[in-house]
Amino acid sequence: SQTIHQWPATLVQPVGSPLSLECTVEGTSNPNLYWYRQAAGRGLQLLFYSVGIGQISSEVPQNLSASRPQDRQFILSSKKLLLSDSGFYLCAWSPGLAGTDTQYFGPGTRLTVL
Amino acid sequence: DQQVKQNSPSLSVQEGRISILNCDYTNSMFDYFLWYKKYPAEGPTFLISISSIKDKNEDGRFTVFLNKSAKHLSLHIVPSQPGDSAVYFCAAYYGGSQGNLIFGKGTKLSVKP
């Protein structure tokens, strides 16, 4: 069966510090991968998605970047965190098949920028 | 412009009664709809989905209804249980969006014993 992991689970960082959140998927090949952010009262906002190694699409211009160095690894980064980067970050994967595209989410990372 | 709208931020229901969560969408290209359930500090879990070729899909206590002409879908939970208390997200997808799900802002359901 497929599983998705995210770490760390929680993170407190000062403004201006770098960020690296990691997501890995097991039990599947060539998944589509996604990064979302859930901010208070704003639902789930898609930040990045990737349909393959090295392929990243950005949905929202921001202070963050994403990379996919391996097929089942997705990394969310920032060089300098802002207060507004605080939120709950979720990684998700989907089978990448045409048609239905149910996404399955990881446990999330709670980021607090002080 | 919000393409998927959940206009009720919260809903309170008595245990054993029916919970009805509503969702409206504006993009007629959407052809697949999903409901996710989310507990605090956890990732959303997939609950139930429906294709635009259907108007109803049922899975145990959960039923999703789709009214394409009204661009409206709803999730019915019968009977509601305290463990159903969570935030419910409606999401929509169309084939041209490369798998991008568009989420509503969520409805917080509280089921009281």
Side-chain angles (χ1 to χ4, degrees):
Chain A
S1 63
Q2 300 87 5
T3 55
I4 180 169
H5 304 278
Q6 283 185 247
W7 62 88
T10 59
L11 190 60
V12 180
Q13 291 284 93
V15 169
S17 64
L19 173 74
S20 180
L21 303 181
E22 189 165 342
C23 171
T24 58
V25 181
E26 296 177 355
T28 186
S29 297
N30 303 314
N32 289 342
L33 296 172
Y34 310 84
W35 277 112
Y36 288 87
R37 175 169 60 201
Q38 182 187 16
R42 297 193 61 183
L44 293 170
Q45 181 186 32
L46 179 64
L47 302 176
F48 302 95
Y49 70 92
S50 171
V51 299
I53 295 175
Q55 295 180 313
I56 308 294
S57 296
S58 175
E59 288 296 298
V60 182
Q62 60 214 312
N63 182 42
L64 303 167
S65 62
S67 61
R68 185 170 176 174
Q70 300 179 37
D71 180 46
R72 289 168 290 178
Q73 184 185 32
F74 206 22
I75 296 173
L76 183 69
S77 304
S78 173
K79 292 182 179 178
K80 286 185 178 181
L81 284 168
L82 306 172
L83 285 174
S84 58
D85 291 325
S86 293
F88 192 53
Y89 288 83
L90 291 155
C91 181
W93 75 274
S94 68
L97 302 172
T100 62
D101 202 33
T102 300
Q103 294 181 17
Y104 301 93
F105 286 82
T109 295
R110 169 70 60 190
L111 171 66
T112 303
V113 182
L114 301 174
Chain B
D1 182 36
Q2 209 176 343
Q3 297 187 66
V4 177
K5 300 177 184 179
Q6 293 177 257
N7 292 318
S8 297
S10 63
L11 175 67
S12 183
V13 172
Q14 205 66 33
E15 181 180 6
R17 306 295 290 269
I18 184 172
S19 295
I20 300 177
L21 298 116
N22 293 304
C23 179
D24 297 294
Y25 61 95
T26 58
N27 190 340
S28 57
M29 297 278 290
F30 289 141
D31 56 11
Y32 193 63
F33 304 88
L34 307 91
W35 284 95
Y36 284 84
K37 176 180 178 180
K38 185 182 180 301
Y39 293 115
E42 294 184 10
T45 54
F46 170 69
L47 198 56
I48 192 169
S49 62
I50 188 166
S51 165
S52 60
I53 63 173
K54 295 185 174 182
D55 54 20
K56 177 182 174 181
N57 188 25
E58 191 172 354
D59 183 3
R61 296 185 298 112
F62 303 91
T63 303
V64 56
F65 295 92
L66 176 63
N67 182 335
K68 289 188 292 294
S69 61
K71 294 191 178 68
H72 176 82
L73 65 155
S74 60
L75 174 69
H76 292 210
I77 306 173
V78 184
S80 301
Q81 300 173 353
D84 296 329
S85 298
V87 177
Y88 289 79
F89 289 98
C90 168
Y93 160 84
Y94 65 95
S97 63
Q98 296 213 5
N100 293 348
L101 282 176
I102 311 298
F103 283 87
K105 291 189 175 182
T107 297
K108 183 177 182 180
L109 173 65
S110 299
V111 180
K112 300 187 184 304

